[in-house]
Amino acid sequence: MKVGILGTGQLALMMAQANQGLGLEIIPFGGKGGKFLSSVCAPVEGDLNDQTAVDAFIDSVDVVTYESENTPVDSLIKNAEKIAPTLDALKLFQNRLLEKNFLVEQGLKTVNYQLLSTPEELDEAATTIGFPAILKTVTEGYDGRGQCLVKSLDELKAGFDELNQYCIMEGFVDFDQEISIVAVRDKQKNIAFYPVAENFHRSGQLRLSIVDGEHPLQKKAEDAIRNLLEKLDYVGCMAMEFFVKGDQLLVNEMAPRVHNSGHWTMDGADQSQFYLHIKAVAGQAISTPVISQPVAMVNCIGDMPADTAKYDRLDFVSVYDYGKEPRAERKVGHINVLGNDQSKAEFFNTLAAMLDEANETSLADLMRDRATSV
Ligand code: AMP
């Protein structure tokens, strides 16, 4: 069976790498991928905005999945039955307004938000939402791009001008913690949940995810994502990001795809999110992944750390280099750290060392604090 992927980035690479023993042919379509992509599959170069090329690609494969929620939906509508996850989810989750409205309709809690479409709406929004607040573009934003923090009406006006398009204004949440859950649903309606990960962002970009035993809000997170998976008759991997405040979960954002906060599953679970996703979209039944030890993932942003080879030799560290050119704010790789036979203190100290390598010194200090308090 031929599984097409719209996109040739690192998520396509990791999906292609996960095709172990599944007997599938994985064919990414898009711009020139990183230098490792063609060593694990035979990508097709083409423009995702070129309707003729996209149609020809879809015709050439049995099923199509995608690696970005910014994939143009209109070009896929006539082939909707071949696309997984469903275009209904893609349409909802690529538009912050539709997404939040949908979440609220499903009885889920989100941060207070309001659409801003004209400058005349700013005064009222300033009163309703209050400050500090975050402005986010309705479409196209990712990794903190298309967002700005505003602390006054003047800053709101400046931010609205700067973003120069429809925006959502949402209250700034003084959260206790950020978490996410990744789940996969197959055509047979089985759902596999991964454990909740604790996430740390800086400048809107994920830096660190940790899975260390069962999170107290695991069940609540599973209920929330199950509801959406079933409602959308969804097939494939979905991620849900939350702010935690006390025992309350506020949904921040959804992703209709494999997710950065699930990259730890490549080493920390017997079946990774990439493996279960392609299995599900190819129509195969999935089973529940087994996770038996603490695990964490550190993102490498901008450039890979200088000497990763010495860490990769350790059997509780795995370094993933996406083969991308270094560039500021670009995700170029990640490092997974496993609990293995290490004590909890050793685990957090190893994690701190990896965070130092990735220039995340404050997070490294935080992990050293955890090492002393376990
Ligand atoms: P997003 O792209 O919406 O997922 O935002 C990226 C990151 O920015 C989040 O993971 C948070 O760390 C931070 N952030 C976004 N929205 C808010 C908010 N309303 N209040 C506080 N922090 C936020």
Side-chain angles (χ1 to χ4, degrees):
M1 177 182 253
K2 292 182 178 175
V3 178
I5 302 175
L6 298 171
T8 49
Q10 69 266 23
L11 300 182
L13 171 68
M14 291 185 270
M15 284 190 249
Q17 287 168 334
N19 182 28
Q20 303 275 327
L22 289 175
L24 303 170
E25 201 179 328
I26 306 285
I27 312 172
F29 173 86
K32 194 169 165 15
K35 64 182 176 197
F36 302 129
L37 190 63
S38 52
S39 61
V40 285
C41 58
V44 174
E45 221 172 310
D47 182 351
L48 286 167
N49 294 304
D50 175 347
Q51 183 75 55
T52 313
V54 169
D55 287 350
F57 174 70
I58 296 176
D59 280 348
S60 72
V61 295
D62 299 297
V63 62
V64 176
T65 189
Y66 45 88
E67 65 165 5
S68 164
E69 58 270 41
N70 292 325
T71 307
V73 173
D74 288 348
S75 63
L76 306 177
I77 287 171
K78 64 180 172 205
N79 288 303
E81 76 296 338
K82 250 189 176 181
I83 320 277
T86 166
L87 288 186
D88 291 342
L90 181 59
K91 231 182 297 179
L92 285 172
F93 299 163
Q94 67 181 209
N95 179 304
R96 286 191 196 271
L97 181 67
L98 298 181
E99 176 179 282
K100 285 184 194 291
N101 289 347
F102 174 72
L103 292 168
V104 171
E105 276 163 28
Q106 299 313 308
L108 295 164
K109 287 205 166 60
T110 66
V111 182
N112 285 343
Y113 65 97
Q114 186 163 328
L115 174 69
L116 300 178
S117 42
T118 64
E120 288 69 49
E121 293 164 358
L122 302 187
D123 286 305
E124 193 208 316
T127 312
T128 323
I129 305 293
F131 296 107
I134 300 200
L135 275 189
K136 299 181 179 180
T137 56
V138 170
T139 57
E140 298 289 330
Y142 69 100
D143 278 351
R145 278 167 239 195
Q147 294 191 10
C148 56
L149 177 67
V150 290
K151 295 188 192 132
S152 64
L153 186 57
D154 283 346
E155 286 185 15
L156 173 61
K157 287 178 177 164
F160 185 71
D161 279 351
E162 187 192 314
L163 295 177
N164 194 27
Q165 54 170 290
Y166 282 19
C167 293
I168 294 281
M169 179 179 177
E170 62 179 51
F172 184 86
V173 186
D174 183 21
F175 50 76
D176 301 331
Q177 198 183 40
E178 285 193 89
I179 62 168
S180 60
I181 187 163
V182 170
V184 188
R185 184 171 182 266
D186 65 20
K187 288 200 167 123
Q188 296 75 4
K189 306 187 194 311
N190 301 303
I191 301 179
F193 301 100
Y194 286 101
V196 158
E198 178 186 11
N199 299 325
F200 297 83
H201 293 78
R202 189 165 58 76
S203 307
Q205 269 189 310
L206 182 69
R207 307 285 161 161
L208 167 67
S209 292
I210 305 175
V211 171
D212 178 18
E214 183 168 319
H215 193 280
L217 295 170
Q218 175 78 28
K219 169 82 175 50
K220 230 177 180 172
E222 285 184 12
D223 289 346
I225 199 166
R226 181 193 295 108
N227 175 13
L228 303 192
L229 289 164
E230 289 176 347
K231 183 83 189 180
L232 292 163
D233 194 17
Y234 192 95
V235 171
C237 189
M238 182 191 276
M240 197 169 199
E241 293 181 83
F242 305 92
F243 299 124
V244 178
K245 189 84 188 147
D247 62 354
Q248 261 209 351
L249 283 181
L250 298 174
V251 187
N252 174 36
E253 202 174 37
M254 305 295 308
R257 54 170 170 81
V258 287
H259 194 253
N260 195 175
S261 70
H263 289 4
W264 62 267
T265 62
M266 295 169 84
D267 296 285
D270 65 337
Q271 304 181 84
S272 76
Q273 62 166 349
F274 304 99
Y275 178 83
L276 290 187
H277 178 75
I278 55 170
K279 224 179 152 176
V281 301
Q284 299 183 21
I286 59 167
S287 60
T288 300
V290 178
I291 290 88
S292 47
Q293 55 185 313
V295 55
M297 182 226 56
V298 175
N299 261 342
C300 303
I301 295 178
D303 204 350
M304 288 302 288
D307 185 10
T308 52
K310 69 174 184 232
Y311 297 109
D312 208 19
R313 279 196 292 273
L314 304 173
D315 59 6
F316 44 86
V317 176
S318 298
V319 180
Y320 297 89
D321 179 346
Y322 306 152
K324 290 160 79 171
E325 287 300 317
R327 196 203 297 151
E329 295 175 15
R330 191 178 212 190
K331 289 177 185 167
V332 294
H334 71 268
I335 302 172
N336 284 344
V337 178
L338 281 174
N340 240 19
D341 295 331
Q342 305 180 93
S343 67
K344 269 288 173 65
E346 284 168 325
F347 168 69
F348 284 117
N349 278 326
T350 309
L351 189 50
M354 296 306 114
L355 286 159
D356 278 332
E357 291 294 324
N359 295 318
E360 294 295 341
T361 40
S362 343
L363 282 174
D365 289 343
L366 195 68
M367 292 305 117
R368 277 187 276 271
D369 287 348
R370 283 203 185 176
T372 54
S373 62
V374 286

